[in-house]
Amino acid sequence: MATPDFDLNDIKRRMQGAVTSLKGDLGSLRTGRATPSILDPIQVDAYGAMMPMAQVATVSVPEPRLLSISVWDRGMIGAVEKAIRESDLGLNPQTEGQTIRLRIPEMNEQRRKEMVKVAHKYTEEARVAVRHVRRDGLDHLKKLEKDGAISEDDEKRQAADVQKATDQYIAEIDGVLAAKEKEIMQV
């Protein structure tokens, strides 16, 4: 029996947020294959404000190792090019009219291992976020028990549910990491 003060679905939603954030972070890692998501972190100085790439251009993947960026406003080509060069992605844009082409170079073994380390760092941050949500939920349950709002048995049962949700999301995070690691190390 759930109390109105404790919502397991809210805890699961917050844990899912950590998984979603991890997928976004891992999606921006360069793997040697062209994906539009590697340009997501790039901000373009457009019209006096910093804007995401998706708000000034269309990014497509015509070939496995090529990104094609169609800038909507001809005057923004220089700003988009500059933003790509100044990003830490190590990409060299080539402009052809209103289209910018980005060749994604083959990654060497050392660079692949560095990317795997970055992926592990992002994954650990997601695990920590899930554990923080678990801690918040368990603290809330203990407070409810202490205040007499729920019985000790209810507290233990709901704490077990919180732990089960934590284990489920940690396993999902590990699965996401394993898939990304395989993608990065693929030659």
Side-chain angles (χ1 to χ4, degrees):
M1 171 181 144
T3 64
D5 295 324
F6 182 74
D7 187 8
L8 183 63
N9 290 330
D10 181 54
I11 287 177
K12 287 181 178 180
R13 181 191 53 75
R14 289 171 56 200
M15 288 180 179
Q16 183 61 47
V19 173
T20 304
S21 175
L22 171 67
K23 288 178 181 177
D25 289 343
L26 291 180
S28 68
L29 282 181
R30 201 173 98 195
T31 61
R33 238 187 305 162
T35 59
S37 62
I38 67 170
L39 300 178
D40 287 350
I42 296 178
Q43 297 285 313
V44 179
D45 186 7
Y47 313 111
M50 297 307 279
M51 302 173 98
M53 182 75 69
Q55 291 183 5
V56 295
T58 303
V59 181
S60 60
V61 185
E63 298 173 23
R65 295 205 181 283
L66 179 71
L67 286 175
S68 177
I69 304 166
S70 300
V71 182
W72 300 328
D73 181 359
R74 193 178 268 283
M76 295 303 305
I77 292 174
V80 171
E81 238 184 292
K82 180 181 177 195
I84 293 169
R85 276 203 179 88
E86 290 178 352
S87 72
D88 60 352
L89 295 175
L91 298 174
N92 189 24
Q94 299 166 336
T95 306
E96 299 169 8
Q98 264 186 277
T99 304
I100 298 174
R101 300 204 185 283
L102 291 175
R103 290 241 169 252
I104 309 294
E106 186 75 45
M107 290 187 350
N108 62 20
E109 189 68 23
Q110 179 184 359
R111 184 74 175 136
R112 289 179 193 281
K113 288 180 180 172
E114 288 173 19
M115 285 293 156
V116 168
K117 285 180 185 174
V118 172
H120 278 274
K121 185 183 93 149
Y122 288 154
T123 304
E124 189 54 36
E125 289 170 4
R127 285 187 194 118
V128 167
V130 167
R131 290 182 193 125
H132 282 305
V133 173
R134 176 188 64 187
R135 185 198 60 216
D136 292 347
L138 294 177
D139 288 350
H140 186 68
L141 282 171
K142 286 179 183 154
K143 184 180 182 317
L144 287 174
E145 184 204 347
K146 184 179 167 210
D147 293 346
I150 61 173
S151 70
E152 186 177 339
D153 289 344
D154 283 344
E155 187 265 341
K156 286 191 183 333
R157 190 174 334 98
Q158 290 180 351
D161 290 344
V162 169
Q163 183 60 47
K164 202 182 307 177
T166 302
D167 294 342
Q168 171 192 339
Y169 284 104
I170 294 287
E172 185 176 344
I173 286 170
D174 291 342
V176 169
L177 172 66
K180 187 64 175 187
E181 201 170 328
K182 182 180 176 191
E183 180 184 336
I184 290 172
M185 295 309 286
Q186 189 176 35
V187 178

